[in-house]
């Protein structure tokens, strides 16, 4: 299991210190939630913030774009240091083109699906992807409750990937905590985003350990 703490729940006034904590605790990726106030009802950060973190942490940047028409900003996030870029199928008119654009920069490409979006929308682009992001909350805010129908969706996606003989990561984002991570992993996910559960914890190191112990 790869753990990707979402900095949405970090303390922005001491962001780098918080990032060091998750790095020291053995997390694998840094999940960066970008929101535009259009696609989702919240505004977070843009390329300058991401760029300011470049070279300050060993954690790869997993950039989750919750923005309309993301093509306009892909190059800026690449320049800012993104290693993985996720775009929402619901926000792309030409999803295949957007995926090719991300890949043209030698950055890993992922597609995110809202809870109500069926898996069919990625059927014909699946082989072009490095990762699929299953949203287990409606995007926009940290600290929401896990939507249980996501488990069936993860299982179906896993089967879809296996039936095509592909090797694609399944990331799950929203409402994942140490006490429900096992069901998410058992359903077939291998990359877990956790915001409030990790950054909201008093003891980040022991929370990360708990996540890892609970999936055994
Ligand atoms: C939601 C974001 C998530 C969020 C997860 O729109 O994409 O990454 O930060 O936060 P938690 O883990 O608190 O649900
Ligand atoms: Zn996210």
């Amino acid at each position: 299991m790869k753990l990707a703490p979402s900095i949405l729940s970090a303390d922005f006034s001491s962001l780098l210190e918080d990032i060091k904590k998750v790095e020291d605790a053995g997390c694998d990726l840094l999940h960066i939630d970008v929101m535009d106030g259009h696609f989702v009802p919240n505004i977070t950060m843009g390329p300058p913030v991401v760029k300011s973190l470049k070279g300050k942490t060993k954690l790869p940047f997993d950039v989750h774009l919750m923005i309309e028409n993301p093509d306009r900003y892909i190059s800026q996030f690449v320049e800012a240091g993104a290693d993985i870029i996720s775009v929402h199928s619901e926000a792309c008119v030409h999803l295949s083109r957007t995926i090719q654009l991300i890949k043209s920069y030698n950055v890993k490409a992922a597609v995110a699906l809202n809870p109500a979006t069926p898996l069919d929308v990625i059927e014909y682009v699946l082989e072009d992807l490095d990762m699929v992001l299953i949203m287990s909350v409606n995007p926009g805010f940290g600290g929401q409750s896990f939507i249980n129908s996501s488990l069936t969706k993860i299982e179906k996606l896993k089967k879809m990937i296996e039936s095509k003989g592909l090797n694609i990561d399944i990331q799950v984002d929203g409402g994942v905590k140490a006490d429900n991570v096992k069901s998410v992993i058992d359903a077939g996910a291998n990359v877990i985003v956790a915001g409030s559960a990790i950054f909201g914890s008093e003891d980040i190191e022991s929370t990360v350990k708990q996540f890892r112990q609970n999936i055994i």
Side-chain angles (χ1 to χ4, degrees):
M1 169 183 69
K2 284 187 195 162
L3 257 187
S6 161
I7 59 170
L8 187 61
S9 294
D11 179 352
F12 286 115
S13 68
S14 53
L15 187 53
L16 199 53
E17 281 169 42
D18 269 14
I19 291 171
K20 288 287 171 205
K21 285 183 198 163
V22 294
E23 189 178 325
D24 292 347
C27 291
D28 304 280
L29 299 167
L30 197 66
H31 187 79
I32 301 172
D33 285 310
V34 177
M35 305 186 187
D36 66 352
H38 288 273
F39 180 66
V40 288
N42 197 3
I43 298 174
T44 55
M45 64 202 94
V49 175
V50 180
K51 197 170 188 171
S52 74
L53 300 170
K54 197 177 171 180
K56 305 259 169 69
T57 169
K58 284 187 227 108
L59 295 175
F61 290 173
D62 166 32
V63 178
H64 178 191
L65 297 182
M66 285 159 277
I67 64 177
E68 271 169 20
N69 194 4
D71 299 39
R72 295 170 297 165
Y73 294 100
I74 303 288
S75 68
Q76 290 186 47
F77 282 104
V78 170
E79 160 87 5
D83 296 283
I84 306 170
I85 294 182
S86 301
V87 293
H88 270 262
S89 70
E90 306 87 0
C92 299
V93 178
H94 301 288
L95 184 59
S96 168
R97 178 182 286 150
T98 307
I99 294 165
Q100 300 312 328
L101 178 64
I102 297 170
K103 291 178 67 158
S104 73
Y105 293 105
N106 283 321
V107 165
K108 288 188 176 173
V111 171
L113 304 179
N114 281 340
T117 303
L119 292 171
D120 307 25
V121 299
I122 49 168
E123 185 176 353
Y124 299 108
V125 291
L126 199 59
E127 58 202 31
D128 299 327
L129 298 178
D130 297 289
M131 185 171 84
V132 177
L133 196 182
I134 299 293
M135 287 305 301
S136 41
V137 296
N138 288 295
F141 304 94
Q144 303 181 81
S145 300
F146 186 87
I147 295 172
N148 273 316
S149 60
S150 317
L151 293 175
T152 317
K153 201 171 178 182
I154 298 162
E155 284 167 10
K156 273 194 188 168
L157 173 61
K158 175 90 177 169
K159 285 195 187 117
M160 199 169 148
I161 291 171
E162 279 173 356
S163 73
K164 289 178 188 268
L166 299 169
N167 181 18
I168 299 172
D169 287 330
I170 300 179
Q171 182 175 53
V172 176
D173 184 5
V176 184
K177 317 221 169 285
D179 60 13
N180 65 358
V181 66
K182 185 165 168 44
S183 58
V184 178
I185 293 293
D186 288 350
N190 66 326
V191 187
I192 298 295
V193 177
S196 51
I198 291 183
F199 284 111
S201 145
E202 291 283 308
D203 183 347
I204 288 180
E205 200 182 334
S206 75
T207 302
V208 168
K209 274 194 190 134
Q210 201 67 60
F211 265 81
R212 297 210 190 273
Q213 268 165 22
N214 288 5
I215 62 164
I216 299 165

